[in-house]
Amino acid sequence: MKYVIVGTSHAGFEAVQTLLKKDSDAEIVVFEAGSTASFLSCGIQSYLEDISKSLDELHYANEASYKEQGVDIRMNTSVIAINPDTKEITTRTTDGVEATESYDKLLLSPGGVPGTIPNVDDQHENIFYLRGRNWADKVKNRMSSAKKAVVVGAGYIGIEAATAYAQAGIDVTVVDFVDSILPTYLDSEFTSLLTKHVEEKGMKIKTGEGVKEFKVNENNEVTAVVTDKGTYEADTVIISVGVRPNTQWLKDTLTLDGRGFVEVNEHMETSVKDVYAAGDATAIPFAPTNDKAYIALATNARRQGVIMARHASGDADAKIGRVNGTSGLAVFDYKFATTGIKDANANSYQGNVKSVYKEDLIRPSFMHDEEKVLMKLHYDADNGRILGAQLMSTYDILQAINAVSVAIEAEWTVDQLAQADFFFQPEFSRPWNFLNVLAQEAQGQPYGADTMLF
């Protein structure tokens, strides 16, 4: 069986590794548009903050390691067309050389491209995006000379870049047309505190402002960012306004939805026989709503990569499972994690969504430790089914979000979480774990306190 894989990031990498295990006779040909393979964009922040010392560390694999595994990898080569009738693809190298390649099974991981600001000219010097190895290197190198940076976009990637630049002593302003930072990940109880925290660290937050233009000098270098509410000096601009699917080249071959994402079934099959797709250019089943959602996470892409490879190699029962969009991030002193439904997507749930917010100590009071956890739970007010949660603390309690994610997938209720069996040891937790306490708060009947009554 000849498998052709397009793209070597999360889904493509996982597909290759799965095929190597599943089909010992597999002929695997991989096409990578870039000059390096299997780059881990999720690790860019560690590189900007000098934790990872080299971009070479941020790879699952490289050209040499693929070849050592017997994989025929073609670097600097884009796939530009598919002919389902002849089961061939058309490729083009960076030198402009076109060729065709046959396949038995075609596995696509087209990924995404950085979003742009509508109706705003960004073709100026000192404007950067942050996706992929090449941009990561440019953004990192710019840190040595940047004095005033404006980050356009207050989502995950924008906040990561802004944090790294601020920690390097650079004057940073974050601009976004939405009303708060990280709006699709955290609710206002958390973002209000987090905004105050980053401002105390020297970062300026300008939300509710849309970018109108970039001012430039005679050398076409950016000197300021103009919004509908103000003008901000800048010698460096990082644009992080989301990602759009890299699927324009597929529109005449595969069925795409209204937003340009490739439509796939539970086996990751596209509308064309023997052609699969996975990763950021596809939707994925969302457990809280039992519908599909667009959730661009490495964890989701890797799951999808496994499923499409298993099914392509003959495992007819291979199906993608439901996910909750579970993720986490550290921003200066705070660490937060989120899963499932939150205020931003609560209207996607066909039911009566209710939420409860709670702040509590992580350990018993006799440990003389003031570390707190901020928590919020979303649930169905009619049947108590858990739909989502958010956690934040200066202490690293983020692994606890995984327990909530499992509870959502298992369709647990708040009553079950209120009584769930979690370990107790004063150095780490309380007799009632904070997740128990959060669920008990949702019940409206918190159990006995962990403080002494005398």
Side-chain angles (χ1 to χ4, degrees):
M1 183 80 73
K2 182 178 181 179
Y3 305 92
V4 171
I5 298 175
V6 180
T8 64
S9 191
H10 304 290
F13 169 79
E14 200 69 69
V16 171
Q17 301 310 307
T18 302
L19 289 173
L20 289 171
K21 298 182 182 77
K22 291 283 293 180
D23 188 350
S24 59
D25 297 322
E27 178 187 355
I28 304 175
V29 183
V30 177
F31 291 91
E32 168 56 51
S35 59
T36 58
S38 300
F39 181 70
L40 179 60
S41 291
C42 303
I44 290 176
Q45 184 180 15
S46 68
Y47 176 63
L48 296 180
E49 296 179 357
D50 288 327
I51 297 169
S52 299
K53 302 303 180 184
S54 166
L55 283 171
D56 291 337
E57 296 181 35
L58 305 182
H59 287 265
Y60 292 127
N62 56 34
E63 183 180 3
S65 68
Y66 275 122
K67 289 180 176 179
E68 289 172 3
Q69 291 181 299
V71 174
D72 180 1
I73 184 166
R74 319 276 180 87
M75 305 298 299
N76 298 303
T77 305
S78 299
V79 177
I80 59 174
I82 302 170
N83 187 332
D85 297 329
T86 61
K87 300 188 79 170
E88 290 180 322
I89 58 172
T90 301
T91 65
R92 180 186 294 146
T93 68
T94 51
D95 295 328
V97 178
E98 293 191 4
T100 59
E101 187 79 27
S102 65
Y103 66 85
D104 294 315
K105 303 284 185 178
L106 177 62
L107 284 62
L108 304 174
S109 177
V113 294
T116 56
I117 305 170
N119 304 314
V120 174
D121 179 14
D122 60 2
Q123 299 304 301
H124 309 298
E125 297 298 319
N126 302 336
I127 291 183
F128 304 85
Y129 289 87
L130 194 57
R131 186 173 179 88
R133 176 174 172 134
N134 292 339
W135 278 116
D137 206 26
K138 293 176 183 178
V139 172
K140 172 70 171 179
N141 291 337
R142 184 62 186 170
M143 294 176 76
S144 62
S145 57
K147 298 293 188 292
K148 287 182 176 291
V150 171
V151 177
V152 182
Y156 255 41
I157 296 174
I159 291 298
E160 284 183 328
T163 301
Y165 265 54
Q167 287 177 334
I170 300 166
D171 184 308
V172 178
T173 301
V174 177
V175 175
D176 203 316
F177 71 94
V178 296
D179 292 331
S180 69
I181 63 174
L182 301 162
T184 60
Y185 298 96
L186 292 173
D187 294 342
S188 59
E189 295 93 336
F190 303 90
T191 57
S192 58
L193 176 59
L194 206 53
T195 297
K196 181 180 178 181
H197 179 64
V198 299
E199 288 177 336
E200 289 173 348
K201 295 293 186 178
M203 195 184 296
K204 303 178 186 69
I205 303 298
K206 303 295 180 180
T207 50
E209 301 190 22
V211 173
K212 295 301 182 183
E213 65 172 310
F214 297 111
K215 287 188 175 181
V216 296
N217 60 21
E218 63 277 8
N219 297 319
N220 198 37
E221 297 170 332
V222 172
T223 59
V225 177
V226 180
T227 75
D228 52 5
K229 294 183 180 178
T231 299
Y232 307 101
E233 290 185 17
D235 58 31
T236 304
V237 174
I238 300 173
I239 299 178
S240 177
V241 291
V243 176
R244 65 180 189 274
N246 179 28
T247 56
Q248 183 66 20
W249 63 283
L250 294 168
K251 64 183 178 63
D252 295 327
T253 308
L254 305 181
T255 299
L256 308 181
D257 67 14
R259 296 178 57 183
F261 290 81
V262 180
E263 291 194 358
V264 294
N265 64 15
E266 60 190 356
H267 307 298
M268 309 312 301
E269 294 175 298
T270 69
S271 56
V272 172
K273 181 177 173 55
D274 295 327
V275 179
Y276 296 76
D280 292 356
T282 64
I284 192 164
F286 188 50
T289 62
N290 289 315
D291 202 351
K292 288 189 174 183
Y294 306 104
I295 308 174
L297 291 173
T299 48
N300 295 339
R302 295 193 72 156
R303 289 183 182 91
Q304 292 175 309
V306 170
I307 296 304
M308 71 175 178
R310 284 177 53 192
H311 194 269
S313 60
D315 184 354
D317 295 327
K319 299 178 182 179
I320 191 67
R322 303 183 304 174
V323 305
N324 299 307
T326 309
S327 61
L329 189 69
V331 180
F332 292 109
D333 298 337
Y334 279 98
K335 305 165 183 65
F336 72 83
T338 177
T339 189
I341 293 291
K342 52 194 70 68
D343 288 352
N345 62 354
N347 60 2
S348 67
Y349 180 73
Q350 300 300 311
N352 184 11
V353 179
K354 191 173 181 180
S355 65
V356 62
Y357 176 80
K358 175 77 172 175
E359 298 182 15
D360 214 343
L361 291 174
I362 296 172
R363 289 178 283 269
S365 56
F366 61 76
M367 293 298 292
H368 303 287
D369 182 355
E370 297 302 314
E371 290 279 9
K372 284 188 174 182
V373 57
L374 288 62
M375 323 175 266
K376 190 171 183 178
L377 190 72
H378 282 78
Y379 59 98
D380 188 310
D382 298 321
N383 59 28
R385 180 189 170 195
I386 297 169
L387 301 173
Q390 298 155 73
L391 305 174
M392 189 165 81
S393 178
T394 55
Y395 185 72
D396 189 358
I397 44 79
L398 298 197
Q399 289 293 336
I401 203 69
N402 292 326
V404 183
S405 180
V406 171
I408 295 171
E409 168 62 18
E411 300 189 4
W412 267 27
T413 66
V414 291
D415 290 344
Q416 289 172 292
L417 184 59
Q419 287 280 351
D421 178 23
F422 297 112
F423 90 97
F424 162 57
Q425 211 288 332
E427 185 178 353
F428 302 100
S429 62
R430 295 163 49 187
W432 289 116
N433 183 274
F434 56 80
L435 292 182
N436 296 134
V437 172
L438 181 59
Q440 292 161 16
E441 193 74 16
Q443 289 179 313
Q445 49 182 17
Y447 301 166
D450 291 334
T451 54
M452 303 303 180
L453 298 180
F454 56 87

